[in-house]
Amino acid sequence: MIIGHEKIIYFLQKSVDNDKLSHAYLFCGPEHLGKTIIAENFLFKILCEQKNKPDAFLEKNTMGKCGKCIHCQQLEKNIHPDVYFINKEENKKNITIEQIRILQEKLIKHSFYGSYKIILINQADALSLEAANYLLKSLGEPNPKTIFILIAENIKSLPKTIISRMQILKFLPVATEEIVDYFEKQFNLKTEQALELAKISINKPGLAITFFQNKNLLDKHKKQIQEFIDFPQKNLNEKFQLIEKILPTKNGFLKNVKILQNILSQLDLIIRDLILIKNSLNTFIIHSFLENKLEKLVQKYSENQLIQILKAIKKSKEYLLVNANPKLVFENLILKI
Ligand SMILES: [Zn+2]
């Protein structure tokens, strides 16, 4: 089941129906929006034998698949011989050139079913520069029966030469109404509950579903937000203790960068809520379950101060992109809040 992204789905369906497939696609956008699920559906759409079957999308938001042919069955089990998945190996920093080399060897061979060979690269932004350049060879000399699908959160780390050879599909957060509609229809949720899920997941359908299925995780998330809201009340010593708790040194650099990136996005939303409250636009706030606390907190700041904090958060995000030490970045920011 896919939520939202109608234009992208329509585009992909039409490119199969009209036999106008690109040799390389780049699905890009933040996590939890549905890039992977759409890419997987796209595989079915390309390979399923019943090509002319009416698309189920209009009714069920899935791309057409019969579910019975050999392709559908093998895709379902993740054992289709003409589909290759490349993922970053655990504990490795990058997708390595070795992984791409092994892939190239497989691509030289004929397709098992005489149809398309499809390569799905997850976290393509983690391709090492060497691996990306090696991959570029395949993109530069496209084989008409080979299709690359790259999934990436941040395309800045991909060489421009790769991006320019791909059909780019940008994923944006899904409209609140679409997420609300999904939960109302699929799970009989009341509008109020569905709206809370849409808001707290910042219009990311994947996250909304995770929160819906895992109440513990949702509670933990809410608790963390609560902690941030209490943050300005704490003294300097308490603040620094909390930083160590959130970003323990033993985590290592990359893990702490990822954690801090999420925290910065969360802080950003809290400050935006405060600005909305400052302007009496409470109905639009994301963290409505904490409205009372936010109402109190907002009195500590002028609107201009809040805007300055937003700028400082943005700056912190930029520092992380150029490999600054996450703990220092966070400490620096905290002093300004
Ligand atoms: Zn099929």
Side-chain angles (χ1 to χ4, degrees):
M1 181 88 187
I2 302 167
I3 309 174
H5 309 301
E6 283 190 29
K7 279 186 189 153
I8 288 176
I9 294 167
Y10 184 78
F11 172 81
L12 293 173
Q13 281 182 339
K14 284 292 149 213
S15 54
V16 177
D17 292 342
N18 301 334
D19 209 8
K20 288 222 167 91
L21 284 163
S22 270
H23 69 280
Y25 295 86
L26 176 58
F27 289 21
C28 64
E31 59 182 351
H32 303 306
L33 289 182
K35 298 188 295 298
T36 308
I37 192 168
I38 289 182
E40 285 167 1
N41 271 266
F42 190 35
L43 297 178
F44 280 96
K45 177 73 188 167
I46 297 169
L47 293 170
C48 174
E49 277 168 11
Q50 290 198 28
K51 286 272 189 305
N52 296 323
K53 186 177 146 297
D55 286 319
F57 164 59
L58 292 174
E59 294 157 27
K60 283 193 200 154
N61 281 32
T62 56
M63 287 192 221
K65 62 174 171 183
C66 74
K68 289 175 193 144
C69 70
I70 185 76
H71 298 285
C72 283
Q73 287 185 358
Q74 292 190 327
L75 280 172
E76 207 77 65
K77 290 181 198 146
N78 258 338
I79 52 166
H80 196 290
D82 290 330
V83 176
Y84 307 98
F85 295 93
I86 303 275
N87 294 298
K88 185 168 75 74
E89 285 165 15
E90 223 168 300
N91 301 325
K92 286 258 170 73
K93 196 178 162 204
N94 293 110
I95 295 174
T96 61
I97 187 163
E98 206 42 47
Q99 287 177 274
I100 304 297
R101 259 197 207 120
I102 294 167
L103 172 73
Q104 301 280 23
E105 279 163 26
K106 289 180 186 160
L107 291 181
I108 294 166
K109 293 177 192 152
H110 283 290
S111 135
F112 192 80
Y113 288 113
S115 176
Y116 286 101
K117 284 188 165 205
I118 310 178
I119 303 94
L120 200 150
I121 304 184
N122 260 309
Q123 289 178 277
D125 27 12
L127 278 162
S128 75
L129 193 61
E130 293 163 300
N133 283 328
Y134 202 77
L135 184 71
L136 199 60
K137 274 199 207 164
S138 312
L139 298 175
E141 304 155 11
N143 177 332
K145 283 283 184 183
T146 304
I147 300 173
F148 285 86
I149 304 173
L150 273 64
I151 300 178
E153 276 178 43
N154 181 3
I155 59 170
K156 276 187 192 150
S157 50
L158 284 170
K160 285 205 178 85
T161 37
I162 283 205
I163 297 170
S164 66
R165 284 182 160 82
M166 308 192 80
Q167 172 74 53
I168 298 178
L169 296 167
K170 274 194 186 142
F171 284 70
L172 300 170
V174 172
T176 308
E177 307 83 62
E178 285 186 74
I179 299 178
V180 169
D181 192 56
Y182 167 81
F183 281 106
E184 281 177 343
K185 287 195 179 134
Q186 202 72 14
F187 299 104
N188 288 324
L189 285 197
K190 289 189 182 128
T191 310
E192 205 174 291
Q193 283 172 294
L195 190 62
E196 187 189 298
L197 276 174
K199 277 183 167 183
I200 201 150
S201 61
I202 359 162
N203 294 38
K204 293 178 171 178
L207 199 57
I209 291 171
T210 307
F211 283 150
F212 175 68
Q213 289 168 339
N214 189 338
K215 195 165 175 305
N216 279 344
L217 205 69
L218 178 61
D219 289 342
K220 212 176 139 194
H221 181 74
K222 284 183 170 177
K223 209 176 143 215
Q224 194 176 34
I225 292 167
Q226 172 121 24
E227 248 178 354
F228 288 141
I229 291 177
D230 294 336
F231 214 76
Q233 262 80 279
K234 296 187 188 302
N235 65 38
L236 207 57
N237 194 17
E238 288 170 329
K239 282 180 181 176
F240 276 77
Q241 273 173 9
L242 195 61
I243 292 172
E244 179 57 36
K245 195 182 128 196
I246 295 171
L247 302 173
T249 316
K250 67 172 168 52
N251 265 353
F253 187 82
L254 286 176
K255 195 171 175 190
N256 276 344
V257 167
K258 187 88 188 157
I259 293 173
L260 186 55
Q261 275 170 337
N262 284 328
I263 287 174
L264 292 175
S265 302
Q266 221 156 68
L267 282 176
D268 193 280
L269 295 171
I270 292 170
I271 305 296
R272 279 171 202 276
D273 272 356
L274 291 175
I275 294 176
L276 286 169
I277 292 175
K278 203 84 188 153
N279 289 287
S280 308
L281 294 166
N282 296 36
T283 42
F284 295 102
I285 65 170
I286 288 175
H287 307 101
S288 28
F289 63 100
L290 288 170
E291 193 173 340
N292 289 343
K293 285 204 164 225
L294 289 167
E295 289 261 16
K296 266 190 206 148
L297 184 61
V298 81
Q299 291 163 14
K300 279 183 63 117
Y301 301 101
S302 70
E303 184 163 358
N304 189 37
Q305 279 173 317
L306 291 170
I307 291 167
Q308 293 311 319
I309 295 174
L310 270 189
K311 281 185 186 163
I313 294 173
K314 188 166 173 260
K315 205 87 215 139
S316 305
K317 286 182 182 171
E318 289 166 8
Y319 288 140
L320 284 185
L321 284 178
V322 292
N323 291 331
N325 179 323
K327 206 176 268 186
L328 290 180
V329 172
F330 200 22
E331 284 171 4
N332 235 322
L333 176 67
I334 290 310
L335 293 175
K336 292 180 189 139
I337 295 183

